[in-house]
Amino acid sequence: MPEPASPTPVDPAELGFERIRYEKAPPRATITLARPERLNAFDFQMLRELARACEDASWDDEIRVVVVTGEGRAFCVGADLKSWEDDLVGKPSEYWKWFGAFMDMHNRLREIGKPTLARVNGIAVGGGNELQMACDLAVMVDDAFIRHVGLEHGSVPAGGATQWLPIMVGERRAREIVLMCEEVTAAQAVEWGLVNWVVPRAELDAKVDDVVEKLARKLPQTTRYAKQQLNWWRDISWNETVGHARDWLALSMLNDETRDAIDAFLQRTKK
């Protein structure tokens, strides 16, 4: 990716993204996670590309709304555990660097200065749910689910879930989602306030279009400041915890518990 010389937006084609698709059709920009063969799992390059796309969208005054979605049958399943096994397990300093890219992506998305809408086209697991929670609003298909599985795979979901779930769904339900590792259906997600709208798959794009149209009509500077104020609770919980989480999770890469859990998961997926 070329480094910008000034805070000037560019044509997405100039950015050379490989892990995401970034499209601009003012007043909307769309960021699509494009690793369907890995259920849109994050690797380091995807995190960097997401951060750069958010940066470009934040600079583009013609863009009023940013839509985040996934390609294929998943929205996002969080971290790519295969790349973790290959590159990070047993290497805490390398994990610390990886998590820095994850933090940067989240910060650029949350601080993009314009409304963001998660188009949850399929399952959102782990960091995928944290990604949709980082957006301002979310539309979800009715046949998808949300789930956190970190406590079964050797990772604490401290990249947004432990910080934001209590704010969004309440203390008890947040603990249920994190500790039980059970699927949250689309119907539960909307009832609990984890997403805003649930629609049949055939109606997903129409609903997204409707929300984008309504958001795009709002005054951009006023909206930006309203969003900054609304971010206060998320920012407090995030900034008070994520640095510590980064260090603890990096050290967890040395644990047998983490190594064995990741290996067991990957062995199951090979069958």
Side-chain angles (χ1 to χ4, degrees), residues 42-116:
F42 298 128
D43 64 2
F44 183 82
Q45 183 177 343
M46 178 185 277
L47 294 172
R48 296 285 288 178
E49 291 181 1
L50 285 167
R52 182 67 182 93
C54 290
E55 180 180 61
D56 181 85
S58 75
W59 292 343
D60 195 329
D61 293 336
E62 293 188 356
I63 298 302
R64 297 290 188 90
V65 184
V66 178
V67 175
V68 180
T69 191
E71 180 181 328
R73 65 189 182 94
F75 175 72
C76 175
V77 295
D80 185 342
L81 294 186
K82 182 64 172 68
S83 69
W84 276 24
E85 182 183 55
D86 294 341
D87 304 326
L88 303 180
V89 172
K91 303 173 184 176
S93 64
E94 294 304 307
Y95 180 92
W96 188 86
K97 298 170 190 176
W98 185 96
F99 199 84
F102 182 85
M103 290 169 58
D104 186 47
M105 178 273 290
H106 264 287
N107 288 334
R108 290 187 186 276
L109 176 61
R110 200 175 65 259
E111 297 170 6
I112 202 168
K114 50 199 70 181
T116 52

Side-chain angles (χ1 to χ4, degrees), residues 125-126 147-157 178 181 261:
V125 179
R147 189 181 180 198
H148 279 278
V149 293
L151 274 62
E152 296 178 347
H153 297 163
S155 178
V156 175
V178 172
C181 299

Side-chain angles (χ1 to χ4, degrees), residues 179-248:
L179 298 177
M180 298 297 290
C181 299
E182 294 176 343
E183 293 181 7
V184 178
T185 66
Q188 287 176 303
V190 74
E191 179 188 351
W192 293 0
L194 194 47
V195 299
N196 299 92
W197 305 277
V198 167
V199 296
R201 186 168 297 276
E203 299 175 15
L204 178 61
D205 286 328
K207 183 61 180 179
V208 169
D209 290 346
D210 178 63
V211 176
V212 168
E213 180 183 353
K214 290 175 179 176
L215 290 172
R217 291 201 298 262
K218 306 302 185 287
L219 297 171
Q221 293 185 31
T222 307
T223 299
R224 184 177 67 217
Y225 186 65
K227 173 168 173 161
Q228 184 67 35
Q229 291 293 305
L230 288 166
N231 277 349
W232 191 84
W233 283 106
R234 292 193 198 185
D235 289 348
I236 288 291
S237 59
W238 174 261
N239 291 321
E240 286 293 313
T241 59
V242 75
H244 185 278
R246 183 185 187 186
D247 281 317
W248 187 90

